[in-house]
Amino acid sequence: MKWIRWWGIAVFAAMVAVILAAWFLLAGYVVERAVETAGARIVGAKVELDGADLTISPLGVTLKGLQVTDPDLPMTNAIEARRIVFSLEAPALFRRKVIIDALDVEGLRFGTPRKSSGALTRGSKKRTAERPSLPQEGARQRLNLPAFDLPDAKEIIRRERLRSVELVESIREDIEKDRIRWKKDIEGLPDRDRIEEYRRRMEGLGSVGKEGLAGILAGAGEFMRLQKELKDDLERISKATRGLEETIRSYERKIEAVRRAAEEDARRLAEKYTLSAEGLGNISLLIFGARITALTDRAVRWYVRLRPLVERVKEKRGAKEIIRPLRGRGVYVRFRERHPSPDLLVRRARLSVSLPGGDVHGSVTNITPDQDVLGRPLEYRFLAERLEGLKSLDLAGVIDHVDPARSRDSADLKLRGYRVNELSLAGGELPVVLKKALADLDVRAALSGGRLRADFSAAFASADIRVERTGGDNPLVEALAAALAATEDFGMKGEVTATLGEGGITNLELVLQSDLDEVLGDAVAGVIRKLAAGLEKELGSAIAERVEGELGGLETGLGVLEGLKKELTGRLGKAP
Amino acid sequence: MLSLIFRLIRTLNSESEPAQISLAFCFAMVAGFTPLASPHNILVLFLVLIIRVNLTAFTLGTVFLGGVAYLMDPLFHRIGLFLLTMDALEPLWTALYNTTPFRLIGFNNTILMGSLAVSLVLFFPLFIASNLVIRSYREHIMAWVRKSRIVGVFRATRLYRAYRAYTGLGGGA
């Protein structure tokens, strides 16, 4: 039996030729599909290409019309590039390495509208299951100022404890106790009959016949004794009268104190139910906070999405590394190389970003998910000058994952003379829009050990800030709108801190200081004072009305004490 | 696919050398178990074409064992990972890792390594076992099958008529 099939060589050659021919013909399509599939997997939304060309000598690829959908806004492209050209190192491809010396991106634009939704279909979503966990999208923050629908004064009085009313109740109880005590005391004092008795007995002594000196002396002695008894009794009555008078006067003072307590109640409750300027807090944080937080949130989400491009999961087992590829089955085990080089490396990318005001040029070096192999971090810098609406831009930064355990990323942004137009800052009850302004902005952000910290400062000049009110009658909004409209120049500085972990972004904190706070605080304080005064007046009337009613009962009790005093005075008047 | 099955049955029933069919199954196992687009399968294809193995058996075997491989991928991954992370083999893998042809075939992928190792280990046992089975089939089973009542019933079916029509057209490895 013959074991060699010579014509098989011809068939094999023919098959290889067909495969190569098909590959050359379909290479563009294959590259296109590969970019779209891998891109969608990384981004989590549609990535589309108008076309791709492959050149053999030199080996290079041209991608045309790249559109990367913003996964949060499916009708918007987060990134759009007119043309991407790069050349590949052919020998490296045989070692399964993609080494790109130079990559040029032309006509890069951000936030462009899409004709159709770029959301992934159900099947495509399944294929993106290995996407990195993204931070939870920050709550859409809306600025809601405290409403100034003040509660009804009578309603406040109904639910609040009033010191004045408590005083009235306490006085009423005391008066009752004193009434009982005085009544009892007065009952123990000589009454009018007893005083009358003195008068009769004294008169009786005068009419009795004086017989001799002894009789006269005895009469005089009796008179003296009666006079002393009378004096003692009158003294007791007089003392009681003074005591009762003092009691009555003390209650009169207490009733005055009730009236003062009523005024104090009104003042206290007015303060409680109106907001102080201090209580309103940092107004600039309320206005700008939502925007800054949203920007931070968005930047972090993109950072997490693109992180696989600068770092991939590697598991160390001795000298070997087990690498989970972005796509494909199985895992790759990496061994020590004689001349280590990353599996994917873009040595230098030149980018041309098309902004409405002109082009921004930048470069990114050392793009690789194997920085630990390359030993160099990714560095980027973008510069622009004299653009329309922007005097200068300088963005530079480093993404350093050379030692993944001690990664340190930083970004430094300087914007000068940026013309802001129609920038919506806050929604809710105070929809603040920065109609126009000239801004200088400095941002310095660093992410290290999962801790994000960004310091920023901004100076706005020739600002036109409007509050686009949607109705309602909030005096605070009116005051803020007026103050903001009158503000032309202001500055701010602040700090954003957050923790970036596996579960996403947490502990996002924003500290913001602005000279707007003083201006707005003054405007708000005036409104608050006016509102507080109005409420205090209403409360004063309502509390006085209630307290006066209660005082009526007290005066009745005092009348009883006055009656007792009159009784005592009457007894003294009867004295002979 | 039906014609391929008919052709395989005819080959089994023919006087073809059992070793040609067995070897085809063995190459099919390599091509089917390992990821089809792997560069080493070009070598397999070359060998299949130049060595006089049965192409029908190879094609059918590759399709069938390729399906089986999907189920066995987790096992291949474990075996591959075990082999690639074995300290004793590290010098070998490191040496291979630093050569372009081995990097090109992606031997350091766990599934490729696992499936290739399994198919190479089973290559000769499968070859011997297939040979025995084919010979035994031809000697004992084929004659019995032809005489059995089930085959009698089968011969009355449309499928058998299609088979006859196909075999009537001829063809072979």
Side-chain angles (χ1 to χ4, degrees):
Chain A
M1 188 192 76
K2 285 181 182 174
W3 274 96
I4 301 299
R5 187 159 39 197
W6 294 109
W7 57 263
I9 296 173
V11 172
F12 176 76
M15 283 178 82
V16 170
V18 168
I19 290 169
L20 285 175
W23 193 82
F24 280 123
L25 287 172
L26 299 173
Y29 176 76
V30 171
V31 171
E32 191 181 325
R33 292 296 302 152
V35 170
E36 288 179 345
T37 311
R41 191 163 182 158
I42 294 170
V43 174
K46 272 187 191 169
V47 172
E48 290 163 319
L49 270 178
D50 287 346
D53 290 331
L54 187 75
T55 54
I56 301 300
S57 182
L59 187 60
V61 176
T62 303
L63 306 177
K64 286 174 280 189
L66 173 74
Q67 294 182 68
V68 180
T69 309
D70 185 334
D72 299 327
L73 302 164
M75 290 305 291
T76 304
N77 286 320
I79 300 167
E80 196 179 325
R82 194 174 59 245
R83 191 161 171 264
I84 300 171
V85 185
F86 58 92
S87 55
L88 293 153
E89 277 185 14
L93 282 178
F94 288 105
R95 298 176 67 80
R96 288 181 170 257
K97 289 174 187 287
V98 178
I99 309 292
I100 297 169
D101 250 335
L103 181 145
D104 288 306
V105 183
E106 296 164 12
L108 191 63
R109 292 188 296 160
F110 303 103
T112 55
R114 285 180 60 85
K115 285 178 185 158
S116 61
S117 171
L120 291 176
T121 55
R122 229 169 142 185
S124 312
K125 273 185 182 168
K126 268 189 176 175
R127 292 194 290 275
T128 61
E130 291 170 27
R131 275 172 60 196
S133 61
L134 296 176
Q136 293 298 310
E137 195 174 355
R140 298 272 180 241
Q141 296 196 29
R142 289 165 67 85
L143 172 60
N144 284 309
L145 292 167
F148 269 78
D149 302 331
L150 292 176
D152 181 54
K154 284 183 179 163
E155 176 60 26
I156 294 175
I157 293 168
R158 194 184 62 74
R159 64 178 179 232
E160 288 289 341
R161 286 176 64 186
L162 295 174
R163 172 82 183 125
S164 49
V165 173
E166 284 175 355
L167 267 177
V168 168
E169 280 162 9
S170 155
I171 294 168
R172 184 184 293 122
E173 283 173 17
D174 291 346
I175 287 177
E176 182 58 18
K177 281 178 196 165
D178 277 339
R179 186 188 66 77
I180 293 165
R181 182 171 67 83
W182 279 110
K183 200 174 175 186
K184 197 177 166 187
D185 287 355
I186 289 168
E187 277 171 4
L189 290 173
D191 57 10
R192 288 176 188 237
D193 291 344
R194 185 168 169 127
I195 302 294
E196 200 57 36
E197 178 63 24
Y198 281 118
R199 179 189 294 279
R200 276 198 309 275
R201 284 171 66 187
M202 280 181 175
E203 283 172 358
L205 283 174
S207 61
V208 173
K210 313 294 188 290
E211 290 176 5
L213 183 59
I216 291 170
L217 286 171
E222 180 63 19
F223 183 80
M224 292 291 282
R225 192 180 59 79
L226 270 177
Q227 200 175 28
K228 189 177 180 305
E229 277 182 26
L230 175 63
K231 194 182 170 188
D232 288 347
D233 281 350
L234 288 176
E235 185 55 39
R236 283 173 63 203
I237 294 168
S238 183
K239 195 179 170 187
T241 306
R242 286 197 303 274
L244 186 54
E245 274 176 351
E246 181 54 37
T247 303
I248 291 167
R249 273 200 300 276
S250 81
Y251 282 123
E252 284 169 350
R253 284 196 296 273
K254 283 182 181 175
I255 286 169
E256 277 309 304
V258 168
R259 291 198 171 96
R260 284 197 302 277
E263 287 168 10
E264 184 54 38
D265 279 339
R267 200 159 30 250
R268 177 176 60 83
L269 292 175
E271 272 178 20
K272 182 176 175 179
Y273 283 89
T274 50
L275 198 67
S276 67
E278 293 78 23
L280 197 57
N282 186 332
I283 302 170
S284 60
L285 181 65
L286 284 172
I287 294 173
F288 294 98
R291 188 80 190 180
I292 295 168
T293 308
L295 280 171
T296 308
D297 188 57
R298 199 168 166 75
V300 170
R301 286 171 72 79
W302 272 102
Y303 173 83
V304 172
R305 270 196 191 99
L306 298 176
R307 191 162 51 184
L309 295 178
V310 292
E311 187 183 330
R312 53 180 167 166
V313 181
K314 295 174 184 177
E315 183 189 332
K316 276 253 180 193
R317 287 201 188 173
K320 303 170 283 290
E321 275 178 348
I322 297 158
I323 297 162
R324 295 188 184 281
L326 281 176
R327 58 196 298 262
R329 299 179 306 166
V331 295
Y332 286 89
V333 180
R334 183 199 288 273
F335 298 91
R336 192 174 291 114
E337 286 181 286
R338 283 192 204 106
H339 306 288
S341 65
D343 289 349
L344 169 68
L345 171 66
V346 179
R347 289 205 174 93
R348 186 182 180 86
R350 285 187 297 256
L351 293 93
S352 170
V353 183
S354 296
L355 296 178
D359 288 352
V360 176
H361 299 283
S363 67
V364 186
T365 54
N366 305 324
I367 304 171
T368 175
D370 302 318
Q371 285 189 11
D372 51 334
V373 177
L374 185 69
R376 285 198 293 274
L378 180 150
E379 292 176 343
Y380 59 90
R381 182 147 200 196
F382 291 82
L383 289 166
E385 281 194 342
R386 286 188 287 280
L387 301 182
E388 194 186 323
L390 178 63
K391 197 174 168 189
S392 71
L393 174 149
D394 185 353
L395 170 66
V398 175
I399 298 178
D400 186 349
H401 291 229
V402 173
D403 180 354
R406 280 195 285 275
S407 64
R408 184 174 168 76
D409 306 333
S410 65
D412 203 346
L413 172 69
K414 286 187 181 71
L415 283 180
R416 294 289 174 269
Y418 175 51
R419 201 173 298 143
V420 183
N421 279 312
E422 297 289 338
L423 179 67
S424 177
L425 295 171
E429 281 183 39
L430 191 66
V432 181
V433 178
L434 191 55
K435 287 279 181 187
K436 65 180 179 69
L438 212 55
D440 288 346
L441 175 68
D442 286 90
V443 182
R444 191 170 186 81
L447 177 65
S448 179
R451 189 82 187 134
L452 170 72
R453 184 193 159 116
D455 296 298
F456 61 89
S457 63
F460 294 85
S462 310
D464 178 5
I465 313 172
R466 303 277 175 85
V467 176
E468 297 186 334
R469 274 155 290 181
T470 51
D473 187 22
N474 188 330
L476 185 59
V477 174
E478 301 290 332
L480 286 172
L484 285 168
T487 304
E488 284 195 349
D489 300 341
F490 64 97
M492 67 171 74
K493 62 178 180 178
E495 177 190 301
V496 178
T497 54
T499 307
L500 190 62
E502 287 300 315
I505 192 167
T506 50
N507 305 325
L508 180 67
E509 281 178 25
L510 170 64
V511 177
L512 186 66
Q513 288 177 319
S514 170
D515 47 13
L516 266 183
D517 285 335
E518 201 177 324
V519 176
L520 298 179
D522 287 347
V524 172
V527 175
I528 289 170
R529 272 198 300 276
K530 199 173 163 188
L531 288 163
L535 181 64
E536 190 179 329
K537 196 175 169 188
E538 269 186 51
L539 281 167
S541 304
I543 293 171
E545 191 181 325
R546 179 168 166 190
V547 167
E548 286 302 329
E550 302 278 344
L551 286 177
L554 287 189
E555 277 164 4
T556 308
L558 269 186
V560 173
L561 292 179
E562 285 284 357
L564 291 173
K565 191 184 117 186
K566 268 186 191 166
E567 168 61 28
L568 289 175
T569 314
R571 288 182 194 182
L572 288 172
K574 287 277 179 186
Chain B
M1 179 56 74
L2 206 59
S3 65
L4 278 172
I5 295 168
F6 290 158
R7 192 180 283 191
L8 180 66
I9 294 168
R10 206 193 69 170
T11 306
L12 287 171
N13 295 344
S14 72
E15 299 300 314
S16 303
E17 187 64 37
Q20 290 179 334
I21 303 168
S22 300
L23 199 56
F25 282 140
C26 295
F27 281 123
M29 182 174 60
V30 177
F33 276 4
T34 58
L36 198 63
S38 302
H40 72 272
N41 278 333
I42 294 173
L43 177 67
V44 173
L45 183 66
F46 178 73
L47 292 174
V48 165
L49 287 170
I50 202 165
I51 299 170
R52 198 174 287 276
V53 297
N54 188 281
L55 293 176
T56 307
F58 173 77
T59 311
L60 269 177
T62 303
V63 171
F64 175 72
L65 292 168
V68 173
Y70 273 101
L71 303 173
M72 292 177 66
D73 269 356
L75 178 68
F76 293 152
H77 165 71
R78 284 186 178 193
I79 293 168
L81 189 61
F82 172 75
L83 291 170
L84 289 166
T85 54
M86 249 176 98
D87 289 340
L89 293 174
E90 194 182 325
L92 172 67
W93 302 141
T94 305
L96 296 181
Y97 193 73
N98 283 284
T99 59
T100 302
F102 280 90
R103 285 303 300 278
L104 183 64
I105 65 168
F107 81 98
N108 58 325
N109 181 281
T110 51
I111 286 181
L112 183 93
M113 173 55 75
S115 56
L116 194 60
V118 168
S119 50
L120 290 179
V121 166
L122 294 179
F123 195 92
F124 287 104
L126 180 68
F127 179 73
I128 293 161
S130 297
N131 258 342
L132 287 173
V133 168
I134 293 166
R135 282 181 203 285
S136 172
Y137 167 78
R138 284 181 179 169
E139 281 173 25
H140 307 291
I141 302 171
M142 198 166 70
W144 175 81
V145 165
R146 278 180 176 160
K147 288 176 191 167
S148 70
R149 293 186 72 183
I150 296 171
V151 171
V153 173
F154 176 69
R155 278 179 177 165
T157 63
R158 279 187 182 180
L159 193 64
Y160 182 73
R161 282 200 292 278
Y163 168 71
R164 289 291 296 171
Y166 177 79
T167 51
L169 289 171

mmCIF file of all heavy atoms in Angstrom, chain A residues 94 96 331-332, chain B residues 38-40 84 100-113:
data_model
loop_
_atom_site.group_PDB
_atom_site.id
_atom_site.type_symbol
_atom_site.label_atom_id
_atom_site.label_comp_id
_atom_site.label_asym_id
_atom_site.label_seq_id
_atom_site.Cartn_x
_atom_site.Cartn_y
_atom_site.Cartn_z
ATOM 1 N N PHE A 94 4.347 37.332 14.773
ATOM 2 C CA PHE A 94 4.606 35.891 14.819
ATOM 3 C C PHE A 94 4.831 35.408 16.246
ATOM 4 O O PHE A 94 4.760 34.218 16.521
ATOM 5 C CB PHE A 94 5.811 35.534 13.936
ATOM 6 C CG PHE A 94 5.493 35.628 12.471
ATOM 7 C CD1 PHE A 94 5.948 36.688 11.709
ATOM 8 C CD2 PHE A 94 4.703 34.664 11.855
ATOM 9 C CE1 PHE A 94 5.633 36.790 10.369
ATOM 10 C CE2 PHE A 94 4.391 34.758 10.512
ATOM 11 C CZ PHE A 94 4.852 35.817 9.762
ATOM 12 N N ARG A 96 2.923 36.548 18.552
ATOM 13 C CA ARG A 96 1.620 36.899 19.115
ATOM 14 C C ARG A 96 1.670 38.197 19.908
ATOM 15 O O ARG A 96 1.070 38.336 20.965
ATOM 16 C CB ARG A 96 1.075 35.770 20.005
ATOM 17 C CG ARG A 96 0.628 34.572 19.199
ATOM 18 C CD ARG A 96 0.077 33.488 20.059
ATOM 19 N NE ARG A 96 -0.541 32.462 19.228
ATOM 20 C CZ ARG A 96 -1.843 32.309 19.053
ATOM 21 N NH1 ARG A 96 -2.681 33.122 19.648
ATOM 22 N NH2 ARG A 96 -2.316 31.351 18.287
ATOM 23 N N VAL A 331 -6.764 30.567 29.442
ATOM 24 C CA VAL A 331 -5.915 31.642 29.930
ATOM 25 C C VAL A 331 -4.499 31.395 29.404
ATOM 26 O O VAL A 331 -4.127 30.264 29.092
ATOM 27 C CB VAL A 331 -5.904 31.726 31.475
ATOM 28 C CG1 VAL A 331 -7.261 32.097 32.012
ATOM 29 C CG2 VAL A 331 -5.434 30.431 32.097
ATOM 30 N N TYR A 332 -3.763 32.476 29.304
ATOM 31 C CA TYR A 332 -2.393 32.373 28.808
ATOM 32 C C TYR A 332 -1.418 32.413 29.984
ATOM 33 O O TYR A 332 -1.543 33.272 30.849
ATOM 34 C CB TYR A 332 -2.073 33.510 27.840
ATOM 35 C CG TYR A 332 -2.740 33.320 26.503
ATOM 36 C CD1 TYR A 332 -4.021 33.807 26.260
ATOM 37 C CD2 TYR A 332 -2.094 32.639 25.480
ATOM 38 C CE1 TYR A 332 -4.647 33.620 25.045
ATOM 39 C CE2 TYR A 332 -2.708 32.440 24.254
ATOM 40 C CZ TYR A 332 -3.987 32.933 24.037
ATOM 41 O OH TYR A 332 -4.599 32.733 22.830
ATOM 42 N N SER B 38 -6.157 27.223 15.378
ATOM 43 C CA SER B 38 -4.767 27.251 15.844
ATOM 44 C C SER B 38 -3.818 26.900 14.689
ATOM 45 O O SER B 38 -4.120 26.018 13.879
ATOM 46 C CB SER B 38 -4.566 26.236 16.975
ATOM 47 O OG SER B 38 -5.446 26.523 18.008
ATOM 48 N N PRO B 39 -2.670 27.599 14.637
ATOM 49 C CA PRO B 39 -1.753 27.385 13.502
ATOM 50 C C PRO B 39 -1.282 25.928 13.361
ATOM 51 O O PRO B 39 -1.005 25.489 12.245
ATOM 52 C CB PRO B 39 -0.580 28.311 13.821
ATOM 53 C CG PRO B 39 -1.144 29.352 14.720
ATOM 54 C CD PRO B 39 -2.194 28.671 15.518
ATOM 55 N N HIS B 40 -1.187 25.172 14.448
ATOM 56 C CA HIS B 40 -0.670 23.807 14.328
ATOM 57 C C HIS B 40 -1.608 22.928 13.496
ATOM 58 O O HIS B 40 -1.193 21.897 12.946
ATOM 59 C CB HIS B 40 -0.462 23.176 15.723
ATOM 60 C CG HIS B 40 -1.732 22.837 16.404
ATOM 61 N ND1 HIS B 40 -2.417 23.741 17.189
ATOM 62 C CD2 HIS B 40 -2.478 21.710 16.398
ATOM 63 C CE1 HIS B 40 -3.510 23.163 17.647
ATOM 64 N NE2 HIS B 40 -3.575 21.931 17.178
ATOM 65 N N LEU B 84 1.206 23.563 32.335
ATOM 66 C CA LEU B 84 1.962 24.807 32.121
ATOM 67 C C LEU B 84 2.516 25.384 33.420
ATOM 68 O O LEU B 84 3.451 26.190 33.389
ATOM 69 C CB LEU B 84 1.075 25.846 31.422
ATOM 70 C CG LEU B 84 0.763 25.563 29.957
ATOM 71 C CD1 LEU B 84 -0.382 26.445 29.461
ATOM 72 C CD2 LEU B 84 1.987 25.800 29.081
ATOM 73 N N THR B 100 9.880 31.538 18.288
ATOM 74 C CA THR B 100 8.763 32.120 17.525
ATOM 75 C C THR B 100 7.699 31.088 17.125
ATOM 76 O O THR B 100 6.508 31.339 17.322
ATOM 77 C CB THR B 100 9.298 32.869 16.293
ATOM 78 O OG1 THR B 100 10.210 33.870 16.766
ATOM 79 C CG2 THR B 100 8.201 33.516 15.493
ATOM 80 N N PRO B 101 8.084 29.906 16.578
ATOM 81 C CA PRO B 101 7.019 28.978 16.140
ATOM 82 C C PRO B 101 6.084 28.567 17.275
ATOM 83 O O PRO B 101 4.867 28.488 17.083
ATOM 84 C CB PRO B 101 7.808 27.771 15.616
ATOM 85 C CG PRO B 101 9.167 28.300 15.299
ATOM 86 C CD PRO B 101 9.428 29.386 16.261
ATOM 87 N N PHE B 102 6.646 28.324 18.446
ATOM 88 C CA PHE B 102 5.782 27.895 19.543
ATOM 89 C C PHE B 102 4.931 29.049 20.090
ATOM 90 O O PHE B 102 3.815 28.840 20.544
ATOM 91 C CB PHE B 102 6.614 27.228 20.656
ATOM 92 C CG PHE B 102 6.945 25.805 20.339
ATOM 93 C CD1 PHE B 102 8.111 25.472 19.652
ATOM 94 C CD2 PHE B 102 6.054 24.789 20.656
ATOM 95 C CE1 PHE B 102 8.396 24.165 19.315
ATOM 96 C CE2 PHE B 102 6.332 23.470 20.318
ATOM 97 C CZ PHE B 102 7.504 23.156 19.647
ATOM 98 N N ARG B 103 5.500 30.241 20.037
ATOM 99 C CA ARG B 103 4.679 31.392 20.429
ATOM 100 C C ARG B 103 3.525 31.572 19.447
ATOM 101 O O ARG B 103 2.415 31.936 19.830
ATOM 102 C CB ARG B 103 5.518 32.679 20.472
ATOM 103 C CG ARG B 103 6.435 32.806 21.664
ATOM 104 C CD ARG B 103 5.681 32.716 22.983
ATOM 105 N NE ARG B 103 4.686 33.739 23.143
ATOM 106 C CZ ARG B 103 4.928 34.973 23.555
ATOM 107 N NH1 ARG B 103 6.169 35.309 23.875
ATOM 108 N NH2 ARG B 103 3.977 35.865 23.671
ATOM 109 N N LEU B 104 3.846 31.296 18.175
ATOM 110 C CA LEU B 104 2.833 31.468 17.144
ATOM 111 C C LEU B 104 1.652 30.510 17.348
ATOM 112 O O LEU B 104 0.499 30.897 17.189
ATOM 113 C CB LEU B 104 3.456 31.242 15.755
ATOM 114 C CG LEU B 104 2.532 31.466 14.561
ATOM 115 C CD1 LEU B 104 2.090 32.918 14.487
ATOM 116 C CD2 LEU B 104 3.217 31.078 13.264
ATOM 117 N N ILE B 105 1.951 29.285 17.744
ATOM 118 C CA ILE B 105 0.831 28.342 17.932
ATOM 119 C C ILE B 105 0.108 28.587 19.257
ATOM 120 O O ILE B 105 -0.965 28.033 19.484
ATOM 121 C CB ILE B 105 1.269 26.856 17.831
ATOM 122 C CG1 ILE B 105 2.217 26.482 18.975
ATOM 123 C CG2 ILE B 105 1.867 26.542 16.476
ATOM 124 C CD1 ILE B 105 2.438 24.980 19.082
ATOM 125 N N GLY B 106 0.690 29.419 20.085
ATOM 126 C CA GLY B 106 0.009 29.742 21.343
ATOM 127 C C GLY B 106 -0.052 28.569 22.294
ATOM 128 O O GLY B 106 -1.091 28.357 22.942
ATOM 129 N N PHE B 107 1.057 27.865 22.413
ATOM 130 C CA PHE B 107 1.063 26.668 23.260
ATOM 131 C C PHE B 107 0.798 27.007 24.723
ATOM 132 O O PHE B 107 0.403 26.149 25.509
ATOM 133 C CB PHE B 107 2.420 25.935 23.146
ATOM 134 C CG PHE B 107 3.490 26.551 23.994
ATOM 135 C CD1 PHE B 107 3.807 26.017 25.242
ATOM 136 C CD2 PHE B 107 4.162 27.683 23.588
ATOM 137 C CE1 PHE B 107 4.767 26.601 26.046
ATOM 138 C CE2 PHE B 107 5.123 28.274 24.386
ATOM 139 C CZ PHE B 107 5.431 27.738 25.608
ATOM 140 N N ASN B 108 1.046 28.262 25.103
ATOM 141 C CA ASN B 108 0.886 28.650 26.509
ATOM 142 C C ASN B 108 -0.555 28.952 26.874
ATOM 143 O O ASN B 108 -0.833 29.376 28.002
ATOM 144 C CB ASN B 108 1.790 29.846 26.840
ATOM 145 C CG ASN B 108 1.511 31.052 25.969
ATOM 146 O OD1 ASN B 108 1.181 30.912 24.805
ATOM 147 N ND2 ASN B 108 1.670 32.239 26.525
ATOM 148 N N ASN B 109 -1.473 28.718 25.943
ATOM 149 C CA ASN B 109 -2.894 28.825 26.271
ATOM 150 C C ASN B 109 -3.329 27.521 26.926
ATOM 151 O O ASN B 109 -3.026 26.425 26.427
ATOM 152 C CB ASN B 109 -3.717 29.075 25.000
ATOM 153 C CG ASN B 109 -5.187 29.203 25.302
ATOM 154 O OD1 ASN B 109 -5.872 28.205 25.487
ATOM 155 N ND2 ASN B 109 -5.659 30.424 25.381
ATOM 156 N N THR B 110 -4.012 27.609 28.029
ATOM 157 C CA THR B 110 -4.339 26.407 28.814
ATOM 158 C C THR B 110 -5.212 25.427 28.036
ATOM 159 O O THR B 110 -4.999 24.215 28.097
ATOM 160 C CB THR B 110 -5.041 26.802 30.119
ATOM 161 O OG1 THR B 110 -6.128 27.667 29.807
ATOM 162 C CG2 THR B 110 -4.093 27.501 31.076
ATOM 163 N N ILE B 111 -6.167 25.952 27.298
ATOM 164 C CA ILE B 111 -7.063 25.048 26.560
ATOM 165 C C ILE B 111 -6.313 24.363 25.420
ATOM 166 O O ILE B 111 -6.448 23.157 25.196
ATOM 167 C CB ILE B 111 -8.316 25.794 26.067
ATOM 168 C CG1 ILE B 111 -9.234 26.053 27.264
ATOM 169 C CG2 ILE B 111 -9.057 25.004 24.986
ATOM 170 C CD1 ILE B 111 -10.513 26.752 26.960
ATOM 171 N N LEU B 112 -5.486 25.154 24.731
ATOM 172 C CA LEU B 112 -4.717 24.560 23.628
ATOM 173 C C LEU B 112 -3.771 23.479 24.178
ATOM 174 O O LEU B 112 -3.697 22.370 23.632
ATOM 175 C CB LEU B 112 -3.913 25.629 22.888
ATOM 176 C CG LEU B 112 -3.177 25.045 21.691
ATOM 177 C CD1 LEU B 112 -4.004 25.180 20.430
ATOM 178 C CD2 LEU B 112 -1.828 25.667 21.497
ATOM 179 N N MET B 113 -3.061 23.838 25.258
ATOM 180 C CA MET B 113 -2.109 22.881 25.827
ATOM 181 C C MET B 113 -2.834 21.624 26.328
ATOM 182 O O MET B 113 -2.413 20.489 26.062
ATOM 183 C CB MET B 113 -1.329 23.551 26.962
ATOM 184 C CG MET B 113 -0.435 22.624 27.750
ATOM 185 S SD MET B 113 0.741 21.717 26.722
ATOM 186 C CE MET B 113 1.921 22.996 26.343
#
